[in-house]
Amino acid sequence: AGTAAARVVLAAVGALAVAALPASAQTTLTIQHPLPLNSHYGAGASAFKDAFERLTDGRYRVVVQRNDNEREMMESLQIGTLDFSVSSTGPVGNFVPESKNLDVPFLFRDTAHARGVLDGDIGNEILAAFERRGLTGVIWLENGFRHLTNSRRPVVTPDDIKGLKIRTMENQVHMRAFETLGALPTPMTFSEIITALQQGTVDGQENPITVIVSNNLDQVQKYLSLTGHVYSPAVLVAAPATVARFSAADRAAMIEAARAAQTANRDRVSADEATGVAELRRRGMSVVTDIDRAKFEAALAPAYAVYAKELDGNLIARIRAAA
Ligand code: PAF
């Protein structure tokens, strides 16, 4: 899979037909991600920094920065004012429509299914689509399965969601799902979430355990339901302008560093998921673990009918059928 990803990047860079320029004594590159350094994204970004600096013998210095606005990072990569980003696919579908297919609720059975699909042909096909939209998709990372939190009541059945104001990502696939369940989806960037929850502009939000823990969302949310309603992929994206300046050896170093980022990021998600629910209980959250996912899927039938028309039904079927 890594070799295929490398081919995608190398071919795309070749297509730009820009001569590689030698790096000056030390070139500074920036990678942004939207969570605290001590998080699964911070782990990935730091591993990328360490590996890339080492593999390029100190010719590059990589600065890791936090930016909670994932849409803004995509825009900056497109215009070349940022070099790399780690983000969820939340707003990515607005730039690379093919990625929306990954955001369908209850599409992935479990983490192994998701990682297998993203590291295989399907994941590489979607990464290749980034290049057509002025972005370089380097490798798939992970955010994790998303769960619902709110300040009003325990959510056990789909009916319990009715009438709740839920902050969603700026993602039409997710918004349609919550609308179908009778919630009032309110899209906003992550940077606004704490204030919105504190002030009651929204009642709830949904994110993986690792995000809930690392951002102390328990301080503004009482109820957690382990809905696992959608797998949230993350992706390491590069600015084509940055990659175009790399030599072939630098590009190979970027791919190897990206693999190190993937390992560090996924290991951290797995570790956080193993301990996170107990930690959130300890901090006082009331956790509903017994969720009948089939009931939620059934309640989403009207949304699936729209996805079948608006998204790539063939691709979605291939993802579902993947081992
Ligand atoms: O909810 C979101 O916006 C995303 O899951 C987050 C927390 C920025 C991580 O990608």
Side-chain angles (χ1 to χ4, degrees):
T3 316
R7 271 202 306 274
V8 167
V9 172
L10 294 177
V13 167
L16 283 174
V18 176
L21 301 173
S24 57
Q26 193 176 50
T27 304
T28 299
L29 300 174
T30 302
I31 182 166
Q32 290 185 344
H33 69 89
L35 291 172
L37 187 58
N38 184 16
S39 69
H40 56 304
Y41 285 177
S46 300
F48 180 81
K49 167 190 167 65
D50 292 348
F52 191 69
E53 287 178 351
R54 178 175 42 80
L55 292 163
T56 54
D57 300 319
R59 283 181 296 109
Y60 291 95
R61 175 170 160 260
V62 180
V63 176
V64 179
Q65 286 175 350
R66 180 172 179 173
N67 179 350
D68 281 10
N69 190 326
E70 296 189 324
R71 174 172 33 85
E72 187 182 275
M73 289 194 292
M74 291 300 128
E75 289 162 356
S76 302
L77 291 166
Q78 278 184 328
I79 57 174
T81 52
L82 174 65
D83 300 299
F84 299 103
S85 76
V86 172
S87 78
S88 74
T89 49
V92 172
N94 301 324
F95 297 83
V96 185
E98 291 82 350
S99 91
K100 286 187 197 168
N101 294 291
L102 299 171
D103 299 322
V104 168
F106 300 108
L107 175 63
F108 293 102
R109 294 183 297 277
D110 52 29
T111 302
H113 179 208
R115 291 179 183 177
V117 166
L118 294 172
D119 294 348
D121 291 346
I122 296 175
N124 286 331
E125 284 165 29
I126 301 177
L127 282 182
F130 281 64
E131 208 66 44
R132 299 194 286 275
R133 312 285 173 173
L135 295 163
T136 298
V138 182
I139 203 164
W140 292 106
L141 305 181
E142 184 161 88
N143 194 19
F145 278 93
R146 302 180 80 89
H147 304 288
L148 186 67
T149 68
N150 83 97
S151 54
R152 299 252 164 210
R153 54 181 173 256
V155 168
V156 184
T157 69
D159 271 355
D160 298 327
I161 290 184
K162 288 202 171 110
L164 288 180
K165 282 179 279 170
I166 307 286
R167 176 271 174 177
T168 66
M169 297 196 287
E170 297 171 85
N171 181 298
Q172 289 147 8
V173 178
H174 290 188
M175 286 169 68
R176 176 162 308 278
F178 281 100
E179 215 169 65
T180 304
L181 295 175
L184 303 165
T186 309
M188 64 179 78
T189 65
F190 193 66
S191 50
E192 294 164 24
I193 197 169
I194 297 283
T195 312
L197 291 168
Q198 260 165 353
Q199 295 183 345
T201 321
V202 292
D203 303 310
Q205 67 84 46
E206 41 84 57
N207 251 303
I209 293 297
T210 174
V211 173
I212 300 170
V213 172
S214 62
N215 290 275
N216 302 319
L217 295 185
D218 50 281
Q219 292 177 2
V220 281
Q221 296 279 267
K222 170 79 184 149
Y223 302 103
L224 164 65
S225 296
L226 299 182
T227 45
H229 52 275
V230 68
Y231 175 79
S232 185
V235 61
L236 179 78
V237 184
T242 299
V243 182
R245 286 193 293 270
F246 285 166
S247 65
D250 292 345
R251 291 196 289 273
M254 176 183 78
I255 298 298
E256 199 175 327
R259 285 198 202 107
Q262 186 188 62
T263 303
N265 157 260
R266 287 179 176 174
D267 286 355
R268 181 62 192 267
V269 172
S270 299
D272 283 358
E273 287 190 349
T275 58
V277 174
E279 171 62 15
L280 292 170
R281 274 205 179 98
R282 196 189 61 75
R283 294 186 196 172
M285 282 192 102
S286 155
V287 186
V288 176
T289 53
D290 194 12
I291 297 285
D292 186 346
R293 299 218 170 98
K295 271 199 187 141
F296 279 83
E297 277 193 83
L300 284 170
Y304 288 122
V306 177
Y307 300 146
K309 281 196 227 122
E310 289 182 352
L311 302 178
D312 183 343
N314 184 33
L315 182 62
I316 292 172
R318 279 172 65 207
I319 294 174
R320 286 197 192 281

